[in-house]
């Protein structure tokens, strides 16, 4: 079906509405009830409507956060901005406001704005939203650092398991044999993958995994502070602590400071993420770099390169890398 | 002059170009030489052209950074986003790419996009750019945390001098009488204002200003580290250090840590800005809060509320406030 008046008329007749209502639905304009909209969309699909080509899209890419305040936000914005500049597009930022999935008003706005592509951070979309975007030929990609992508949507993440392996190998090479772990939330796949990779590398090297020194936090500095204090006061004090993200690692640094322990002389600390703050802590943090800017760039390019908005269910995991700074050293002599 | 064909014709005749060239100039489209453009703009002005009203603007606000990576960026984005949501607009981010003032391509893009308002961070505009934006009725406001605004452009900053006073009063109340200062760049008005306010509060309280313990850094953590080491090794070691921004204060914390001094037991440290990292340092930083999000919001609202894009040369300085955390305490007993 082309966008000629004749076929708008066909769809309108099938859906028992006026042609202008069909046009309203296609352009996300208001004044159409949800029920009518669903009927029109059904008719569009059954008539084999194919969405307008790229020339109908506006020259910008839309980046959607739950909340822009996230510590990840600035890195991701930088990467998406890089892709936008490379393609001569501008970048529109929007927020879903503390909701995990964008609401219907957001979707209406996006349909009106007709971006060339959408990158959603940390969110999944309801099936109906996916269908509405696809129908209008607006490609979208999910940026998913949490490592648990919906199978039917293209998404970009990073290699969490390998990141855990890298952290463990570094500590093993330095000579550590008694290592504590503070994982992120137990129910997030990215936390589990990091701890699981860490454990696999210990197994491979024949270093015992200390079940008594495994804790699960909530990715907050306070968790690192509290659980770090606990671990550093164990009778058999670990010589190193691997924290599942940088914020918890900063908490461990603070716990050590409060207990009068020196990092890395008395205890080594490894973080995960390589946020900007990892450069600035005391001491600067050895950490596993999650390439957030590259992930943002990749997600944007995936969306922009989708042919006619066709959804390709693809998953790209970018490599992580270890960044050695000053928070790790050989274990103290006993 | 209205935008009717007749008057486009008038302007075209005066400028000795075709009406479509006049239209190109008004809409920032390409294919017009700089010379021709200048002639057309001159003709528009001499015919008393008044820019299109608000209804011709697109429903977004444009936020322009030199580089999005700045540590200030995320706070400012958050504030401008808040204003955009309040007015039902979306937010377009753009970068001038390491140049202090946006180049001509950026300006052409903005004229094509026709935003409802523009907020420029840390930048000034050449006179010709100001004139071109005004001619199209696109209001713009400069967000200027550096405290040195151009007199003919509306701008938003914060009360740097008062911030310095607040930092000094806090240390004086705790009992400090021997205080070092690491100012930001000597040639930036915001640094000078902070140090000058600090000094005024000492004077007022009859506490001597230690000229021997005044240093000027470059707003980097490394400056705080190096100058902090120097100050903490003075024979007459200061009991407190005021740093001109949070990054330098983090460097001072690191200097103390490396010298085996405890903050705040041996030395108190006060920063300036209250970036997110001030919560996360070891110990969390007492600092002067520069309300960056509120400044972004205010700048956006000033731009959006400008009547028909009329430039009002106004300066708004928002208040700073002291945030007391754990890096300050009474001086050690001698």
């Amino acid at each position: 079906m082309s966008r000629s008046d004749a076929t708008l008329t066909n769809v309108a007749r099938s859906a028992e509405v006026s042609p202008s209502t069909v046009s309203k639905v296609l352009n996300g304009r208001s004044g159409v009830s949800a029920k009518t909209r669903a009927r029109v969309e059904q008719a569009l699909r059954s008539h084999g409507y194919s969405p307008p080509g790229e020339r109908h899209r506006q020259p910008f890419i839309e980046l959607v956060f739950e909340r822009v305040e996230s510590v990840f936000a600035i890195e991701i914005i930088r990467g998406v901005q890089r892709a936008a500049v490379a393609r001569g597009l501008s970048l529109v930022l929007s927020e879903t406001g503390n909701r995990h999935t964008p609401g219907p008003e957001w979707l209406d706005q996006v349909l009106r704005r007709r971006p060339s592509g959408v990158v959603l951070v940390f969110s999944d979309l309801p099936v109906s939203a996916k269908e509405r975007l696809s129908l209008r030929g607006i490609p979208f990609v999910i940026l998913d650092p949490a490592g648990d992508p919906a199978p039917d949507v293209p998404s970009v993440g990073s290699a969490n398991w390998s990141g855990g392996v890298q952290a463990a190998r570094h500590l093993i090479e330095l000579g550590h044999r008694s290592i504590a772990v503070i994982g992120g939330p137990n129910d997030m796949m990215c936390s589990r993958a990091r701890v699981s990779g860490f454990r696999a590398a210990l197994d491979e090297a024949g270093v015992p995994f200390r079940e008594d020194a495994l804790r699960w936090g909530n990715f907050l500095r306070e968790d690192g502070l509290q659980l770090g204090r606990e671990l550093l006061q164990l009778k058999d004090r670990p010589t190193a602590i691997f924290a599942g993200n940088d914020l918890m690692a900063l908490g461990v640094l603070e716990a050590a400071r409060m207990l009068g322990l020196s990092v890395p002389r008395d205890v080594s600390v490894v973080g995960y993420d390589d946020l900007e703050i990892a450069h600035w802590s005391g001491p600067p943090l050895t950490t596993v770099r999650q390439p957030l800017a590259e992930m943002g760039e990749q997600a944007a390019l995936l969306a922009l390169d989708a042919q006619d908005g066709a959804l390709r269910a693809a998953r790209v995991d970018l490599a992580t890398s270890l960044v050695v700074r000053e928070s790790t050293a050989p274990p103290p002599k006993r």
Side-chain angles (χ1 to χ4, degrees), chain A:
Chain A
M1 175 177 149
S2 76
R3 300 184 90 210
S4 71
D5 273 358
T7 47
L8 269 190
T9 311
N10 282 346
V11 171
R13 196 173 301 138
S14 301
E16 297 171 8
V17 297
S18 70
S20 80
T21 301
V22 177
S23 158
K24 275 184 186 170
V25 168
L26 280 171
N27 297 305
R29 289 207 301 277
S30 54
V32 185
S33 73
K35 212 169 145 187
T36 305
R37 199 183 60 213
R39 211 164 65 232
V40 171
E41 289 175 344
Q42 177 52 38
L44 282 164
R45 273 189 291 272
S46 70
H47 279 267
Y49 171 79
S50 70
E54 294 181 26
R55 68 191 183 289
H56 291 279
R57 301 190 210 147
Q58 295 298 306
F60 66 86
I61 182 157
E62 175 131 2
L63 174 59
V64 189
F65 285 95
E66 214 175 306
R67 300 189 320 134
V68 165
E69 289 102 294
S70 142
V71 285
F72 289 144
I74 199 69
E75 292 280 317
I76 293 171
I77 289 172
R78 208 175 90 191
V80 175
Q81 174 78 2
R82 214 189 283 155
V85 167
R87 298 295 165 89
L89 303 174
S90 52
L91 169 61
V92 170
L93 262 193
S94 56
E95 268 180 318
T96 61
N98 281 327
R99 274 188 312 211
H100 193 53
T101 53
E105 330 77 57
W106 173 81
L107 193 61
D108 285 342
Q109 284 168 17
V110 169
L111 296 181
R112 269 197 294 278
R113 288 199 280 262
R114 284 185 293 135
S116 294
V118 175
V119 174
L120 293 143
V121 182
F122 277 115
S123 311
D124 194 8
L125 282 173
V127 173
S128 65
K130 290 176 192 171
E131 285 180 352
R132 294 183 68 194
L133 287 169
S134 305
L135 199 55
R136 277 81 174 180
I138 299 174
F140 57 97
V141 172
I142 291 182
L143 183 61
D144 164 51
D148 204 5
D152 62 338
V153 179
S155 66
V156 175
S158 68
N160 288 301
W161 191 86
S162 309
V165 170
Q166 289 163 336
R169 287 196 176 150
H170 172 63
L171 291 173
I172 294 166
E173 276 164 25
L174 286 170
H176 292 274
R177 297 293 176 266
S178 169
I179 309 175
V181 173
I182 303 177
N186 205 347
D187 58 353
M188 286 181 73
M189 290 312 287
C190 62
S191 324
R192 293 206 150 265
R194 290 169 197 176
V195 172
S196 158
F198 193 89
R199 183 169 198 150
L202 293 188
D203 285 352
E204 181 204 43
V207 175
F209 182 83
R210 283 188 61 175
E211 294 285 358
D212 70 307
L214 169 64
R215 299 288 184 281
W216 299 94
N218 206 16
F219 278 156
L220 300 176
R221 179 180 181 277
E222 285 65 39
D223 302 318
L225 176 55
Q226 186 199 318
L227 299 171
R229 282 183 74 102
E230 209 178 297
L231 292 167
L232 291 172
Q233 290 179 104
L234 287 178
K235 203 184 262 170
D236 181 12
R237 191 171 78 212
T239 62
I241 298 182
F242 170 50
N245 75 345
D246 284 349
L247 283 185
M248 293 198 300
L250 291 187
V252 174
L253 293 184
E254 180 68 349
R257 199 184 68 85
M258 290 172 80
L259 293 169
L261 296 170
S262 163
V263 176
R265 204 187 54 216
D266 301 318
V267 61
S268 287
V269 179
V270 179
Y272 199 107
D273 282 338
D274 196 27
L275 298 181
E276 208 168 25
I277 47 173
H279 300 262
W280 295 329
S281 54
L285 201 60
T286 294
T287 188
V288 177
R289 182 165 190 273
Q290 175 163 222
L292 291 162
E294 289 81 354
M295 287 157 67
E297 187 176 15
Q298 194 62 241
L301 293 175
L302 263 183
L304 296 173
D305 293 346
Q307 291 296 319
D308 295 322
L311 282 188
R312 295 172 303 170
R315 168 74 178 182
V316 177
D317 271 333
L318 299 187
T320 52
S321 55
L322 186 80
V323 181
V324 179
R325 296 202 181 88
E326 298 166 37
S327 66
T328 47
K333 304 249 177 333
R334 295 237 168 151

